[in-house]
Amino acid sequence: MGIKSGDKVKVHYTGMFEDGQVFDSSYGRQPLEFVVGAGQVIPGFEEEILGLEVGDKKRFTIPYEKAYGPARDDLKFSVQRNVLPEDVNVGDLLEVHQPDGNFFVVRVDELGEEVAILDANHPLAGKNLVFEVEIIEIS
């Protein structure tokens, strides 16, 4: 019968880009645990493990539409360079705090003398993701 919606599963995984560069892995730490169908992981991941059994291993590619979505230009914005820390570099992650107390993380995309471009897209937005998974437990 295999994994179905509503099952609680534990999986080990390695996530990588299409060029093979690994961006995350559960090996060496606790397996990922989640309830299938509860929206706790990206949709494409859930779809790919349906029907698998304990001990099964599978490799699959998730198109960005079923992962973190497209990279959106409207989530990039410019700020005056002098509002950022002096030692900031392109690629750094910064927290932007809003007046209501909430915050979000942005990546420094460009640094000019006067202006910096910040990107609030998820770091994996716009990327197709490759996963290798191993089903550890189904309950």
Side-chain angles (χ1 to χ4, degrees):
M1 179 149 160
I3 294 172
K4 61 191 178 314
S5 188
D7 285 347
K8 186 170 164 185
V9 298
K10 287 184 183 179
V11 304
H12 268 307
Y13 69 91
T14 298
M16 61 198 94
F17 300 116
E18 290 178 301
D19 66 4
Q21 177 191 346
V22 173
F23 62 81
D24 194 14
S25 179
S26 67
Y27 288 96
R29 61 180 201 254
Q30 294 295 314
L32 174 65
E33 185 174 333
F34 63 96
V35 175
V36 177
Q40 297 169 319
V41 298
I42 56 176
F45 193 93
E46 287 189 334
E47 291 172 13
E48 289 289 343
I49 67 164
L50 290 173
L52 296 181
E53 304 275 359
V54 170
D56 284 355
K57 294 181 179 182
K58 184 176 182 182
R59 180 185 176 106
F60 50 87
T61 299
I62 301 174
Y64 69 83
E65 298 90 346
K66 290 189 175 186
Y68 293 93
R72 294 176 22 203
D73 286 339
D74 63 327
L75 293 178
K76 292 185 176 189
F77 56 97
S78 61
V79 297
Q80 290 299 308
R81 172 70 175 88
N82 61 9
V83 302
L84 300 178
E86 281 186 30
D87 61 349
V88 73
N89 293 299
V90 170
D92 285 357
L93 299 178
L94 303 172
E95 287 183 1
V96 174
H97 293 264
Q98 299 174 296
D100 62 7
N102 288 324
F103 71 92
F104 57 98
V105 175
V106 297
R107 184 174 43 80
V108 179
D109 211 32
E110 296 176 31
L111 280 176
E113 290 292 319
E114 302 287 324
V115 175
I117 307 294
L118 303 180
D119 185 349
N121 281 292
H122 188 284
L124 299 177
K127 294 181 173 34
N128 298 329
L129 307 178
V130 178
F131 284 92
E132 291 178 350
V133 298
E134 178 182 1
I135 308 305
I136 306 299
E137 186 179 302
I138 303 171
S139 55

